[in-house]
Amino acid sequence: MTFVRRLSLLLLVVLLVAPAAAQADHGPAHFYGSTGGQPLNAPIVGMARTQQGDGYWLVASDGGIFTFGNAAFAGSMGGRPLNSPIVGMAANPSGGYWMVASDGGIFAFGSAPFLGSKGGQPLNAPIVGMAATNDGGGYWLVASDGGIFTFGNAAFAGSMGGQPLNQPIVGMAAAAGGGYWMVARDGGIFAFGGAPFLGSMGGRPLNQPMVGMAADPNGGYWTVARDGGIFTFGTAAFHGSTGSMALNRPVVGMAATPSGGGYWLVASDGGIFAFPGTAPSLSVSVVASGLTIPWDIGFTPDGTLLYTERPGRIGAVVGGAPRTIATVGDAYVNTEGGVLGMAVDPDFAANRRIYVCQTWTNGSTRDVRLYAWTVDNAYTTATRSGGPLFSGAPATTGIHTGCRPRFGPDGFLWVGTGDSTIGTAPQDLGSLAGKVLRIDKLSGAGAPGNIGASRIYTYGHRNIQGLAFRPGSGQAFSVEHGPDRDDEITPLQSGGNSGWDPVPNYNQSVPMTDLAKFPSAMRPAWASGSPTIATSGATFVTGSAWKSWSGALVVACLKGRQLRAFFLDGSNNVTAHELILDVPDRLRSPVLGPDGSLYVTTSNGSGDRILKVTPT
């Protein structure tokens, strides 16, 4: 349902209501106020939103700043003499903001550091906009001829300066994965660095010229015309526009919410137009039933669903019915041990290989191992191929075994392991317990970029239950259990320490990420606090059917008996999270299927199922 609420003759705000079954909508572009209808000394020329998307700033050509929501006032240039008018602004992720004048002069406020400017230097063409790096350590300025000027850690990736343009540049946006786009007034897009070209309006007839653009954190971009017409590219979803509506003043810019689930447009009189995205409705059906703790699932290229069961089985759903295709006789089945995580080889069509992580025993020895298996063409049998790709991660009690394998976008196998309740293991680089391993799928050897020549990519973990890779950037995230507090989601860094060090003995009262002991430890993007919800497997959901949730990290919860969506900004910080599915089952592993639906295993202990969660 869509309706329009007229707040004043100068302001329209469009609100979209999500279907009730989908829970509350995430990341809408809430209306926090405007200067529409109020007298201004100078027209508004730009806007920026807060890191959390819970407020925004407007800037006028005289440098006056207007704050709304949780956007804090940190100073302005209003009422002060300027050499040239202000043409735009950008927010510092840590707080504060910059504004830029047409001569390239930079004015920094709050925690936004001054990193240099072009003020007082000769320019071939006036500055028309700016963008900040994701970490706030630098910024770019763009001139109307497409010239780029870099400051701080903003890397130069190319420009259009000195090259013939059909129309002048009117704005720019920074890409989440690095690089930047610039947009010309005819809608032409120029992409540099890690910013992909996803299409443009250049050469097409427009009702009104373009005035700016915004980046979708999930990998696309929007461009906006002076009548408020919106054009979407890549993952950027259309949430509404003021194109064809009567406006008192022309639109001069836009900003997107941190999740990409909505955007704001701002007019030169400061009128704000808010367009939130809509959350999908979710329907749940049963794909397979009568299982016992199905731990993980995967899909082959022909769409066949494979699964593991903790008691020692590998199965397939064929013709709508589950069947066992292998029994694992040497699995050590106890508590959290058994046949656990699984990954399907990206080259499965050629080699029919899958990789299964298990706790192993020969009666006297127990450890965590990863084996390759070969599946026959009819999905009737699976055969273990050779020795383990790795072994030796302790599984003394069957508790905290981790055992989650996933293929990364780099082609290597990543495997999360638990600490096996051995206090010294997470910080011990001689142990494979409490680690994220990154290995070659054929030899099991450590991948380049690991610690030394080892298999270890990161260390200092408690019990990794989920691994997922963010679409677009490929950033790896771990999801792991806390003790009585702080389940964590962490963006992984090569050689990083997650900060878990439960010593002496096995002391679970220490922090999950002990920054006092390890000040350079990887910071979690989210921690549950207390109580925990027992986060488990995780996957990113993408596609237009997921609407404003597209790009979110969806995490299954055991104790919490729910699916929860986590929304990330361009710096991999969690800006918001919400419960999207509340069920009576313990949920173990979500996997995005080739049909765009989410497939989720239950983990109740008996009568377990594989559920299909379909967005509409």
Side-chain angles (χ1 to χ4, degrees), residues 273-610:
F273 307 88
F275 296 92
T278 54
S281 297
L282 301 180
S283 62
V284 181
S285 58
V286 177
V287 173
S289 58
L291 306 177
T292 304
I293 311 182
W295 199 274
D296 210 352
I297 53 182
F299 288 88
T300 66
D302 64 10
T304 299
L305 187 154
L306 303 178
Y307 61 90
T308 58
E309 291 181 90
R310 193 187 71 182
R313 293 182 290 275
I314 301 171
V317 178
V318 180
R323 63 168 65 153
T324 298
I325 61 173
T327 300
V328 185
D330 56 8
Y332 172 56
V333 181
N334 183 34
T335 313
E336 296 171 359
V339 175
L340 306 176
M342 175 182 63
V344 177
D345 196 306
D347 298 320
F348 180 89
N351 60 29
R352 308 290 297 182
R353 286 164 67 97
I354 63 174
Y355 303 83
V356 177
C357 195
Q358 68 171 89
T359 50
W360 173 90
T361 183
N362 64 359
S364 59
T365 302
R366 301 166 184 163
D367 66 7
V368 174
R369 298 185 169 194
L370 181 75
Y371 285 101
W373 292 71
T374 302
V375 181
D376 74 330
N377 289 337
Y379 296 102
T380 57
T381 60
T383 306
R384 200 153 73 185
S385 306
L389 291 173
F390 76 80
S391 61
T396 51
T397 62
I399 298 174
H400 293 190
T401 54
C403 223
R404 181 73 68 183
R406 288 291 182 264
F407 273 95
D410 56 5
F412 291 109
L413 257 173
W414 300 54
V415 188
T417 67
D419 64 12
S420 196
T421 66
I422 299 172
T424 57
Q427 297 296 322
D428 179 6
L429 294 179
S431 170
L432 297 184
K435 308 296 189 297
V436 172
L437 311 180
R438 183 167 159 267
I439 62 174
D440 181 88
K441 70 178 184 179
L442 297 178
S443 67
N450 288 356
I451 298 174
S454 74
R455 295 183 170 99
I456 298 171
Y457 185 74
T458 61
Y459 64 105
H461 297 280
R462 182 176 182 269
N463 189 24
I464 290 180
Q465 293 287 293
L467 282 174
F469 300 88
R470 189 174 188 182
S473 69
Q475 172 65 53
F477 287 82
S478 66
V479 179
E480 59 185 308
H481 284 174
D484 61 351
R485 66 186 192 282
D486 288 344
D487 296 331
E488 289 184 345
I489 298 172
T490 303
L492 301 178
Q493 303 164 7
S494 176
N497 182 357
S498 199
W500 174 245
D501 190 27
V503 293
N505 300 316
Y506 194 70
N507 176 17
Q508 298 205 75
S509 66
V510 304
M512 269 287 281
T513 301
D514 195 337
L515 295 176
K517 188 180 289 187
F518 307 109
S520 62
M522 297 180 294
R523 265 61 168 179
W526 171 85
S528 66
S530 182
T532 60
I533 53 177
T535 50
S536 188
T539 189
F540 283 91
V541 294
T542 58
S544 60
W546 289 97
K547 299 180 181 176
S548 64
W549 294 346
S550 181
L553 178 66
V554 173
V555 178
C557 303
L558 295 163
K559 185 169 66 176
R561 298 175 184 265
Q562 62 187 242
L563 286 178
R564 185 162 287 271
F566 292 83
F567 302 91
L568 303 160
D569 65 13
S571 299
N572 297 314
N573 300 306
V574 171
T575 59
H577 59 92
E578 67 176 282
L579 185 154
I580 63 171
L581 184 67
D582 191 6
V583 293
D585 302 276
R586 287 163 55 86
L587 298 181
R588 174 72 61 181
S589 298
V591 172
L592 189 65
D595 60 354
S597 293
L598 198 61
Y599 292 77
V600 188
T601 66
T602 71
S603 194
N604 300 315
S606 63
D608 281 310
R609 300 166 295 159
I610 299 174

Side-chain angles (χ1 to χ4, degrees), residues 44-47 170 211-212 224-226 250-254 265-269:
I44 300 299
V45 293
M47 74 179 302
V170 293
V211 292
V224 60
R226 72 192 301 263
V251 170
V252 293
M254 73 178 301
L265 311 184
V266 60
S268 64
D269 66 349

Side-chain angles (χ1 to χ4, degrees), residues 93-107:
S94 300
Y97 43 80
W98 300 275
M99 58 180 79
V100 60
S102 64
D103 66 350
I106 289 287
F107 305 91

Side-chain angles (χ1 to χ4, degrees), residues 188-266:
I189 292 287
F190 305 91
F192 299 93
F197 177 76
L198 302 169
S200 81
M201 296 301 296
R204 306 183 198 180
L206 299 174
N207 292 326
Q208 296 282 332
M210 294 297 173
V211 292
M213 71 181 305
D216 176 11
N218 304 309
Y221 46 80
W222 298 271
T223 60
V224 60
R226 72 192 301 263
D227 64 352
I230 289 287
F231 305 90
T232 67
F233 302 93
T235 59
F238 180 76
H239 302 307
S241 80
T242 63
S244 79
M245 297 184 188
L247 299 177
N248 292 318
R249 292 287 188 274
V251 170
V252 293
M254 73 178 301
T257 61
S259 69
Y263 42 75
W264 298 273
L265 311 184
V266 60

Side-chain angles (χ1 to χ4, degrees), residues 12-222:
L12 292 170
V13 180
V14 178
L15 303 173
L16 300 181
V17 177
Q23 306 294 329
D25 185 40
H26 165 74
H30 291 295
F31 175 73
Y32 296 108
S34 81
T35 63
Q38 302 176 39
L40 298 175
N41 292 326
I44 300 299
V45 293
M47 74 179 302
R49 52 99 172 151
T50 61
Q51 180 77 353
Q52 294 76 26
D54 52 6
Y56 43 77
W57 298 272
L58 309 185
V59 61
S61 63
D62 66 350
I65 289 286
F66 304 90
T67 66
F68 301 93
N70 287 341
F73 180 76
S76 81
M77 295 302 294
R80 306 183 198 180
L82 297 174
N83 292 326
S84 296
I86 300 298
V87 293
M89 72 179 302
N92 180 11
S94 300
Y97 43 80
W98 300 275
M99 58 180 79
V100 60
S102 64
D103 66 350
I106 289 287
F107 305 91
F109 300 91
S111 59
F114 177 76
L115 301 169
S117 80
K118 297 299 291 182
Q121 302 177 40
L123 298 175
N124 292 325
I127 300 297
V128 292
M130 73 180 301
T133 59
N134 290 326
D135 63 2
Y139 44 78
W140 298 272
L141 309 184
V142 62
S144 63
D145 67 349
I148 289 286
F149 305 92
T150 65
F151 301 92
N153 65 4
F156 180 77
S159 81
M160 295 303 296
Q163 302 180 45
L165 297 175
N166 292 326
Q167 296 283 331
I169 301 297
V170 293
M172 74 177 302
Y180 44 80
W181 299 277
M182 56 181 81
V183 59
R185 59 181 275 142
D186 65 349
I189 292 287
F190 305 91
F192 299 93
F197 177 76
L198 302 169
S200 81
M201 296 301 296
R204 306 183 198 180
L206 299 174
N207 292 326
Q208 296 282 332
M210 294 297 173
V211 292
M213 71 181 305
D216 176 11
N218 304 309
Y221 46 80
W222 298 271

